[in-house]
Amino acid sequence: MRRLKRRTQMVEAEAEAVRMRVDQERHAEVLSLMKAFKEYKKIKEDVLPCYFIPLGLNDRVIGREDELRKLNEALDPKESIPQSRSFALYGMGGVGKTTIALQYANNARSLYDAIFWISADKMIKMAQDFLDIAQKLKLVPKDRKSEDANAAMARVKAWLNETRCRWLAALLVPSVTSRDFTAGFSPASAGLAVQPFDDATGSATFLELVGQTDPSQTNIELAREVTHKLGGLPRQISGFVVKQRLSLKDFLPLYERNAGKINAKKTGLSDYQHTLSTVWSLALGQLTGNASSLQKLLTFFDPDRVDETILTNDKVAKARSDEFDFLQDEMEYLYESERCHEGLPLATIALETLQDHDSLVYAQGIDIQGLLWLDTFRPNRALKCFNVCWKIRDKLLEANDSFTAVALNHISLAYTELRDFEQAAEYQKKAIDIRLEIKSPMIGNSYSNMSSILLGMNKPDEAEAMLMNDMVLLGRIRICQKRFDDALRLRSKALVFRQKTYGDRYKTCDSLYQIADLLYSPGDPASAVNLLDKSLVFLENLPEPEGFIARAYFKLAEIHASLGSDPETQKNCKNAALEYRKKAYTDLSPGDEYEEANFNLLVPWMLW
């Protein structure tokens, strides 16, 4: 039955494509898009074998033979077991889970056609890994930039789902410290709790890691004591011992002194957390000033791509503003590339580097933070940031300064997202007056923003008269003017531009929805369903997509109802729309009615 439904949808989609070709000029852009999406689905098997494993074999892995054997038994790709399997290694951080998985991945090259090592402890690192894998699989061009990483993620997942080759994906996630077996590996089909070393194995491992291949009896006993005090986790401290060139005799008193200090401050930590805290205290506790700031910054970066000279160069920045300028550049880049969720933590750190909260530099920083809040659909928080920025600039700058106009413009944007179009128009008018007076090149930006406000007031003709060079907004204006052919052409061009510029992110998904809505209205439901399904695939890989997903499922439910699809499909779409609406964050009050207007309040007004 499922296959029949899928085949039926395919036939309907092809029929719609044939009908479109009859009117080639009218639907040229849409046909091009449909062809492009089909190209994305083509599976390339000529890239095999394909191995993305960042590190090689570790010859110093000892004491984990039993774990490797169990992992091999669970995952060995046998012909009699065609379905995919999963296996979770769980346990304390530092116990050796990564080392075991890495050793298995490298040893298993002869068993798999493709092996992918994916770090999922940070979104930035995971996205970069998926982008690298997509490039190795030739799913995206080599010159694609990091802002396309979410699109790459979707294509890699599709490849894994459709390929018939034998593949292994090792997903490195933050440590699972629970001792509950089900929590440890769910939803994996099998799992193994990796335990700390016993004193004998742990001491032998520790001695080898510190380079003592022929230890004295005294050092063997000291190593056993160190292992016992570290709870069977000698790897955590071996690097410190080697770097500091400490003898085991000197190390133990140093460790115990630091452990005592931390234990005095201890508030409910487990013994494991206590020993690990001591290790980090020894290694990082002496950092101050720029070194401490650098250590905090590096937590946002892929550790494998941080040049060691950054840590070893003794030339440090002398000016406070250098730190902020660097962070400001990063925040602006993340904002422009639609990666605002990643930029918000950087904004917080950037503002913490500034002591003077009444300075123009602080105004600039909090203004960028406001833009990040705005594009993550937090207009109330954004408005607070913009008001702080405006008050500082109004106090320190001339009344007609261009930066004052920027602050007023941004306040207008926040009110627009709150759907308070009267207030938005008031502030935008002030911004326009300043920009006209000083002949600012940004006047076109203000005109476009005022145009969107007028559209929100249901004044499409006035909005068009105000508009300057914005095909996304013009497409929405054409809808209100009931010029649907023009709207379809403009929205299709906007989708091409957005997909090329931003990858498969929110703006692209918004365009897919807008085109699907247009195609459905005049009677192209199969193509509309196709585009909405594509948007859902992309949205699954984006942060906080619930509002967009709820809106897409609402439209799918509406289309399936008009097509007379089976009741189960209609019910599932409606239930999904309602479920995602509950999860979606919004500063607005969409209401409980199952209406399109309420679902539109779950997504930003200005996605252009």
Side-chain angles (χ1 to χ4, degrees):
M1 182 62 71
R2 290 180 180 175
R3 176 179 289 185
L4 180 60
K5 291 177 183 177
R6 187 163 58 250
R7 293 288 184 186
T8 301
Q9 286 183 346
M10 291 172 61
V11 171
E12 289 176 348
E14 289 299 325
E16 296 297 341
V18 171
R19 191 194 60 75
M20 284 183 180
R21 291 188 192 101
V22 175
D23 196 351
Q24 181 74 30
E25 183 177 353
R26 180 185 173 200
H27 292 297
E29 291 87 358
V30 178
L31 287 168
S32 176
L33 288 168
M34 303 299 287
K35 180 180 178 181
F37 283 129
K38 288 181 180 180
E39 289 294 321
Y40 291 157
K41 294 188 67 175
K42 289 184 178 178
I43 298 299
K44 298 179 174 65
E45 303 290 2
D46 61 338
V47 296
L48 303 176
C50 181
Y51 303 119
F52 180 76
I53 310 174
L55 301 172
L57 283 166
N58 187 351
D59 295 332
R60 307 178 77 182
V61 175
I62 59 174
R64 295 302 187 189
E65 292 78 11
D66 189 51
E67 287 85 350
L68 286 167
R69 178 183 57 78
K70 291 180 180 178
L71 190 55
N72 185 69
E73 290 174 353
L75 295 180
D76 188 20
K78 302 178 178 65
E79 294 296 332
S80 58
I81 309 177
Q83 71 271 21
S84 62
R85 282 154 290 154
S86 55
F87 192 92
L89 294 171
Y90 65 100
M92 297 176 178
V95 80
K97 304 182 296 296
T98 301
T99 302
I100 295 169
L102 190 59
Q103 197 75 353
Y104 173 77
N106 278 287
N107 285 330
R109 289 173 184 259
S110 62
L111 301 176
Y112 299 96
D113 302 306
I115 300 177
F116 307 124
W117 184 271
I118 303 166
S119 297
D121 53 339
K122 296 178 185 175
M123 186 62 190
I124 293 177
K125 172 60 175 167
M126 182 172 68
Q128 183 60 52
D129 283 349
F130 269 104
L131 180 60
D132 291 340
I133 292 168
Q135 290 174 343
K136 287 183 73 70
L137 291 172
K138 299 181 181 179
L139 299 176
V140 297
K142 289 286 187 181
D143 59 351
R144 291 292 285 268
K145 298 180 180 179
S146 57
E147 56 262 34
D148 300 306
N150 285 280
M153 191 181 301
R155 288 169 199 167
V156 170
K157 288 181 179 180
W159 187 91
L160 293 174
N161 188 52
E162 296 175 23
T163 184
R164 295 186 178 182
C165 80
R166 296 171 300 172
W167 57 266
L168 171 71
L171 197 65
L172 182 65
V173 299
S175 298
V176 178
T177 57
S178 170
R179 295 182 182 274
D180 174 23
F181 181 67
T182 19
F185 69 86
S186 180
S189 55
L192 174 67
V194 181
Q195 301 294 341
F197 288 120
D198 57 40
D199 288 351
T201 307
S203 60
T205 301
F206 179 66
L207 288 169
E208 184 172 341
L209 290 172
V210 298
Q212 294 201 18
T213 56
D214 187 20
S216 64
Q217 186 60 37
T218 300
N219 278 347
I220 291 175
E221 293 173 1
L222 287 170
R224 184 180 289 266
E225 187 176 354
V226 168
T227 300
H228 183 74
K229 288 184 177 294
L230 289 173
L233 304 173
R235 291 180 181 275
Q236 297 296 324
I237 205 67
S238 59
F240 177 79
V241 173
V242 173
K243 290 289 185 183
Q244 298 297 320
R245 299 180 181 178
L246 292 170
S247 67
L248 299 188
K249 180 181 177 181
D250 294 332
F251 165 71
L252 268 175
L254 176 64
Y255 174 84
E256 288 170 349
R257 284 198 302 274
N258 281 271
K261 293 176 183 177
I262 293 173
N263 194 44
K265 302 177 182 178
K266 185 172 164 183
T267 56
L269 291 174
S270 67
D271 290 339
Y272 161 70
Q273 291 170 313
H274 162 52
T275 58
L276 191 59
S277 296
T278 305
V279 171
W280 285 115
S281 178
L282 285 167
L284 302 175
Q286 303 303 314
L287 295 180
T288 60
N290 286 327
S292 178
S293 297
L294 177 61
Q295 186 256 326
K296 291 178 182 178
L297 283 175
L298 290 178
T299 62
F300 291 96
F301 295 89
D302 177 359
D304 296 331
R305 294 170 183 263
V306 176
D307 195 315
E308 289 186 7
T309 57
I310 294 176
L311 305 175
T312 58
N313 193 341
D314 59 359
K315 295 180 180 179
V316 296
K318 296 180 180 180
R320 184 274 318 145
S321 61
D322 289 347
E323 280 182 47
F324 177 79
D325 289 344
F326 166 74
L327 288 166
Q328 178 181 326
D329 290 343
E330 292 301 308
M331 287 188 294
E332 289 177 346
Y333 165 74
L334 292 171
Y335 170 72
E336 292 296 337
S337 59
E338 260 207 310
R339 296 166 65 184
C340 298
H341 291 85
E342 299 168 29
L344 280 168
L346 278 179
T348 301
I349 289 182
L351 292 174
E352 287 175 354
T353 67
L354 302 175
Q355 301 298 321
D356 186 358
H357 289 190
D358 295 316
S359 66
L360 291 174
V361 175
Y362 186 81
Q364 178 71 6
I366 203 164
D367 186 51
I368 297 174
Q369 186 182 52
L371 290 172
L372 294 170
W373 281 125
L374 193 66
D375 267 22
T376 53
F377 204 27
R378 265 72 171 180
N380 278 327
R381 295 187 187 184
L383 183 59
K384 290 179 181 178
C385 292
F386 296 148
N387 276 321
V388 171
C389 171
W390 178 48
K391 288 178 181 178
I392 295 173
R393 289 176 176 173
D394 186 53
K395 180 180 179 180
L396 300 179
L397 300 174
E398 297 292 333
N400 63 349
D401 191 275
S402 62
F403 283 101
T404 301
V406 169
L408 292 166
N409 177 55
H410 288 171
I411 290 173
S412 174
L413 297 184
Y415 277 120
T416 302
E417 287 300 340
L418 290 168
R419 292 0 183 226
D420 187 345
F421 297 113
E422 295 294 338
Q423 282 276 60
E426 180 181 336
Y427 281 94
Q428 195 59 244
K429 178 64 168 59
K430 294 178 181 178
I432 289 174
D433 288 343
I434 294 175
R435 286 174 167 173
L436 285 174
E437 181 182 349
I438 63 176
K439 299 180 180 179
S440 170
M442 295 299 295
I443 188 63
N445 171 259
S446 275
Y447 284 150
S448 291
N449 291 335
M450 182 62 86
S451 176
S452 72
I453 295 168
L454 292 168
L455 183 63
M457 294 176 170
N458 199 27
K459 299 176 180 179
D461 294 335
E462 293 181 40
E464 182 179 4
M466 181 68 69
L467 184 62
M468 291 182 64
N469 300 323
D470 191 322
M471 60 184 168
V472 178
L473 184 51
L474 183 57
R476 293 184 67 165
I477 291 171
R478 291 287 183 261
I479 292 292
C480 292
Q481 296 170 336
K482 302 188 183 304
R483 297 170 59 179
F484 299 115
D485 286 351
D486 285 347
L488 180 60
R489 177 178 54 81
L490 289 164
R491 286 184 170 181
S492 298
K493 288 183 176 179
L495 175 55
V496 173
F497 171 78
R498 283 175 159 183
Q499 208 282 329
K500 182 178 180 181
T501 305
Y502 303 107
D504 300 330
R505 299 186 68 82
Y506 299 103
K507 291 180 180 178
T508 298
C509 293
D510 180 65
S511 283
L512 287 170
Y513 175 88
Q514 299 295 344
I515 294 173
D517 188 36
L518 266 177
L519 290 175
Y520 159 60
S521 298
D524 298 342
S527 297
V529 169
N530 193 350
L531 293 177
L532 288 170
D533 286 342
K534 296 296 181 187
S535 73
L536 287 171
V537 171
F538 299 152
L539 286 167
E540 288 175 358
N541 299 294
L542 299 176
E544 295 190 310
E546 292 83 7
F548 290 91
I549 292 177
R551 183 179 64 164
Y553 273 119
F554 173 87
K555 184 58 65 176
L556 280 170
E558 185 180 32
I559 296 172
H560 282 300
S562 70
L563 288 173
S565 301
D566 62 280
E568 183 183 358
T569 299
Q570 297 181 45
K571 180 182 177 181
N572 289 340
C573 289
K574 183 175 181 178
N575 288 343
L578 293 171
E579 189 63 29
Y580 277 102
R581 183 170 72 174
K582 291 178 184 177
K583 298 177 182 178
Y585 178 88
T586 176
D587 283 344
L588 307 177
S589 302
D592 296 329
E593 295 83 7
Y594 189 74
E595 298 173 356
E596 185 169 12
N598 290 333
F599 281 88
N600 284 333
L601 292 178
L602 301 177
V603 300
W605 170 260
M606 293 183 66
L607 266 178
W608 45 73

mmCIF file of all heavy atoms in Angstrom, residues 101 171 186 228-229 288 334 339 361 368 452 587 595:
data_model
loop_
_atom_site.group_PDB
_atom_site.id
_atom_site.type_symbol
_atom_site.label_atom_id
_atom_site.label_comp_id
_atom_site.label_asym_id
_atom_site.label_seq_id
_atom_site.Cartn_x
_atom_site.Cartn_y
_atom_site.Cartn_z
ATOM 1 N N ALA A 101 36.256 3.362 19.691
ATOM 2 C CA ALA A 101 35.526 3.541 18.427
ATOM 3 C C ALA A 101 36.477 3.846 17.283
ATOM 4 O O ALA A 101 36.321 3.334 16.162
ATOM 5 C CB ALA A 101 34.497 4.664 18.583
ATOM 6 N N LEU A 171 29.358 8.241 15.357
ATOM 7 C CA LEU A 171 28.861 9.537 15.826
ATOM 8 C C LEU A 171 29.405 9.785 17.224
ATOM 9 O O LEU A 171 29.070 9.084 18.180
ATOM 10 C CB LEU A 171 27.335 9.532 15.840
ATOM 11 C CG LEU A 171 26.641 10.882 15.918
ATOM 12 C CD1 LEU A 171 26.917 11.694 14.648
ATOM 13 C CD2 LEU A 171 25.143 10.702 16.100
ATOM 14 N N SER A 186 20.100 3.857 24.443
ATOM 15 C CA SER A 186 18.876 4.119 23.701
ATOM 16 C C SER A 186 19.048 5.355 22.812
ATOM 17 O O SER A 186 19.617 6.343 23.248
ATOM 18 C CB SER A 186 17.735 4.357 24.686
ATOM 19 O OG SER A 186 16.545 4.619 24.008
ATOM 20 N N HIS A 228 44.643 4.511 41.012
ATOM 21 C CA HIS A 228 43.584 4.341 42.014
ATOM 22 C C HIS A 228 42.958 5.686 42.380
ATOM 23 O O HIS A 228 41.737 5.816 42.464
ATOM 24 C CB HIS A 228 44.160 3.667 43.264
ATOM 25 C CG HIS A 228 43.124 3.394 44.317
ATOM 26 N ND1 HIS A 228 42.199 2.375 44.196
ATOM 27 C CD2 HIS A 228 42.857 4.033 45.501
ATOM 28 C CE1 HIS A 228 41.402 2.392 45.251
ATOM 29 N NE2 HIS A 228 41.788 3.390 46.061
ATOM 30 N N LYS A 229 43.814 6.713 42.570
ATOM 31 C CA LYS A 229 43.313 8.037 42.936
ATOM 32 C C LYS A 229 42.516 8.667 41.795
ATOM 33 O O LYS A 229 41.603 9.457 42.025
ATOM 34 C CB LYS A 229 44.473 8.951 43.343
ATOM 35 C CG LYS A 229 45.085 8.612 44.699
ATOM 36 C CD LYS A 229 46.155 9.601 45.070
ATOM 37 C CE LYS A 229 46.719 9.296 46.458
ATOM 38 N NZ LYS A 229 45.706 9.485 47.526
ATOM 39 N N THR A 288 45.227 33.312 32.969
ATOM 40 C CA THR A 288 44.681 34.622 33.327
ATOM 41 C C THR A 288 44.636 35.506 32.082
ATOM 42 O O THR A 288 45.230 35.187 31.056
ATOM 43 C CB THR A 288 45.562 35.308 34.396
ATOM 44 O OG1 THR A 288 46.893 35.474 33.877
ATOM 45 C CG2 THR A 288 45.609 34.494 35.680
ATOM 46 N N LEU A 334 28.263 35.231 10.835
ATOM 47 C CA LEU A 334 27.239 34.247 11.158
ATOM 48 C C LEU A 334 25.845 34.803 10.900
ATOM 49 O O LEU A 334 24.946 34.081 10.470
ATOM 50 C CB LEU A 334 27.375 33.804 12.616
ATOM 51 C CG LEU A 334 28.636 32.995 12.938
ATOM 52 C CD1 LEU A 334 28.778 32.801 14.440
ATOM 53 C CD2 LEU A 334 28.605 31.644 12.234
ATOM 54 N N ARG A 339 23.282 31.920 10.249
ATOM 55 C CA ARG A 339 23.679 30.974 11.300
ATOM 56 C C ARG A 339 23.606 31.700 12.644
ATOM 57 O O ARG A 339 24.548 31.702 13.437
ATOM 58 C CB ARG A 339 25.080 30.436 11.009
ATOM 59 C CG ARG A 339 25.146 29.632 9.730
ATOM 60 C CD ARG A 339 26.547 29.391 9.254
ATOM 61 N NE ARG A 339 27.310 28.566 10.163
ATOM 62 C CZ ARG A 339 28.595 28.293 9.990
ATOM 63 N NH1 ARG A 339 29.231 28.784 8.952
ATOM 64 N NH2 ARG A 339 29.242 27.532 10.844
ATOM 65 N N VAL A 361 31.088 51.515 21.156
ATOM 66 C CA VAL A 361 31.485 50.138 20.854
ATOM 67 C C VAL A 361 30.454 49.167 21.426
ATOM 68 O O VAL A 361 30.050 48.191 20.777
ATOM 69 C CB VAL A 361 32.894 49.839 21.419
ATOM 70 C CG1 VAL A 361 33.251 48.375 21.211
ATOM 71 C CG2 VAL A 361 33.931 50.726 20.774
ATOM 72 N N ILE A 368 24.275 44.230 17.119
ATOM 73 C CA ILE A 368 24.439 42.946 16.409
ATOM 74 C C ILE A 368 23.732 41.833 17.166
ATOM 75 O O ILE A 368 23.085 40.962 16.560
ATOM 76 C CB ILE A 368 25.932 42.617 16.239
ATOM 77 C CG1 ILE A 368 26.613 43.676 15.370
ATOM 78 C CG2 ILE A 368 26.119 41.239 15.621
ATOM 79 C CD1 ILE A 368 28.114 43.510 15.270
ATOM 80 N N SER A 452 7.551 46.744 3.294
ATOM 81 C CA SER A 452 7.049 45.550 3.981
ATOM 82 C C SER A 452 6.041 45.928 5.059
ATOM 83 O O SER A 452 5.079 45.196 5.308
ATOM 84 C CB SER A 452 8.207 44.768 4.595
ATOM 85 O OG SER A 452 8.737 45.445 5.719
ATOM 86 N N ASP A 587 6.987 35.015 20.180
ATOM 87 C CA ASP A 587 6.659 36.147 21.051
ATOM 88 C C ASP A 587 5.240 36.647 20.805
ATOM 89 O O ASP A 587 4.764 37.537 21.502
ATOM 90 C CB ASP A 587 7.638 37.308 20.809
ATOM 91 C CG ASP A 587 8.985 37.071 21.475
ATOM 92 O OD1 ASP A 587 9.063 36.189 22.347
ATOM 93 O OD2 ASP A 587 9.951 37.768 21.119
ATOM 94 N N GLU A 595 -6.130 27.612 11.946
ATOM 95 C CA GLU A 595 -6.265 28.500 10.799
ATOM 96 C C GLU A 595 -4.888 28.888 10.271
ATOM 97 O O GLU A 595 -3.920 28.973 11.035
ATOM 98 C CB GLU A 595 -7.035 29.768 11.202
ATOM 99 C CG GLU A 595 -8.446 29.501 11.677
ATOM 100 C CD GLU A 595 -9.110 30.762 12.212
ATOM 101 O OE1 GLU A 595 -8.425 31.807 12.263
ATOM 102 O OE2 GLU A 595 -10.304 30.699 12.572
#
